[in-house]
Amino acid sequence: MINPMKDSGVEWIGKIPSDWVINKLGFLGSLQNGISKSGDEFGFGLPFVSYGDVYNNFQLPSIPSGLVNSTKNDRLLYSVKRGDVFFTRTSETADEIGIASTNLNDILDATFSGFLIRFRPRRGILEPSFSKYYFRSDIGKLFMVGEMNLVTRASLGQKLLKKYPVLLPPIQEQLVIANFLDEETKKLDDAKSLLQQQIEKLKEYRKSLIWETVTKGLDKTVPMKDSGVDWIGEIPEGWEVNKIKYTSSADDEQVKTQDISSGKKIRYVDIGSVNLTDGVTDYQEMSLLDAPSRARKIVRIGDTIVSTVRTYLKAIAYIQDEENVVVSTGFSVLRPKELDSKFFNYCIMSDSFTEQVENVAWGIAYPSISNSNLMNLKISYPKDVWEQQAIAYFLEEKTSVIEKILSNKQTQIQLIDKQKKTLIYDYVTGKRRVKL
């Protein structure tokens, strides 16, 4: 029999089943901030639960990602036991504060990060398999929004976390809810995983299509010859291989001082707004007076921009019809001189280019490539511009179809994520019930 509902006393939770109890987290167990040590104590020693272990998982991994040189006293004070719930304590944004992960296993000799807070419930109050869903539900986000004036960029404190509202169904019902959600979320996760596999295959197909077309052409009956470049392979007879510097310029047209002082309006593009798959994902409309000091290079329609630092392989984009675009100094602006601009862009997007970049880039943590090295990389191309244009048109048609399919699958994933969030929230708050 399903019991009637009662007011929870929390406006944004609303009504809850009459046989459920609501309490504040501070009355249900103890809180403990994590361990703090100097950087040279990490990377060796005993298991260590990191910020990422919590942020990325509903359920804490049975083998934490980190290691720390912990003492016996550390392992007593910062232990990791079954049923513990860990909350992210610090973040760059308020949205990433209070993200929770529940531990379903004792992890011997483990300690946890100072960027986390551990909640250890009293025995017999919370079933860990229920906690896994409850504390990862939208309850946490709604609570943080309601208390936003107490949340800072720097930290979530224990004082605030103690006020976190916790709904407590009877233990047996907690188990039933958790088992039901295990089954239902697995179905959704499996569907999402299948879509993600399909997306990866489509992306790989798009990559191979671009490489094959810009290095082999459209006419498969044409005799081939050795390009002399391993990562380009054979190319059609009549095609040329040349360094980028002979086919385009690395334009360093700088923003003029008078334009800065006049506050000219621009569309600023930083490295974080560009990737190899989607091109430019965000133009920041602003005046040059407000632009970062690194916003210095002017981009024209038909240019291809390539990042020369850090995420260089992922930051490639074709500027098709946008005007007043300015990019950061971390980009090289390639402007083809004799080649069709769209064909040239596909050459730069292809694996035959990015593999060359990998071979000449230097640095491990922050890899980069100099502008001169970039211009010495090679591309292959047909001499006739009409053939370049035909290849560009063919790839534009084919990749636009692929992109529509990718977009559709991404939308399906977003719907699954939304459905999963709603499912979890409804059952851990008693809006929907599982028959006992």
Side-chain angles (χ1 to χ4, degrees), residues 77 155 166 172 296 298 301 350 354 389 393:
L77 183 59
S155 180
V166 182
Q172 185 57 39
R296 286 291 177 267
I298 295 173
I301 293 173
S350 74
T354 56
Q389 293 171 339
Y393 177 79

Side-chain angles (χ1 to χ4, degrees), residues 190-205:
D190 287 347
K192 179 178 176 178
S193 177
L194 179 60
L195 285 167
Q196 289 171 330
Q197 290 173 31
Q198 292 170 350
I199 286 172
E200 289 308 308
K201 286 181 180 178
L202 280 167
K203 287 181 177 179
E204 285 301 315
Y205 170 67

Side-chain angles (χ1 to χ4, degrees), residues 397-436:
E397 290 286 303
K398 291 290 185 180
T399 57
S400 65
V401 172
I402 295 170
E403 282 156 12
K404 286 177 183 177
I405 298 172
L406 286 171
S407 178
N408 179 265
K409 292 187 182 297
Q410 291 287 6
T411 299
Q412 291 179 58
I413 285 177
Q414 291 169 4
L415 290 172
I416 288 173
D417 287 340
K418 185 176 181 180
Q419 185 180 350
K420 182 177 176 179
K421 287 177 66 176
T422 301
L423 179 78
I424 292 171
Y425 180 82
D426 283 354
Y427 279 95
V428 300
T429 59
K431 304 293 186 290
R432 296 162 70 183
R433 307 287 297 275
V434 183
K435 290 184 179 181
L436 301 178

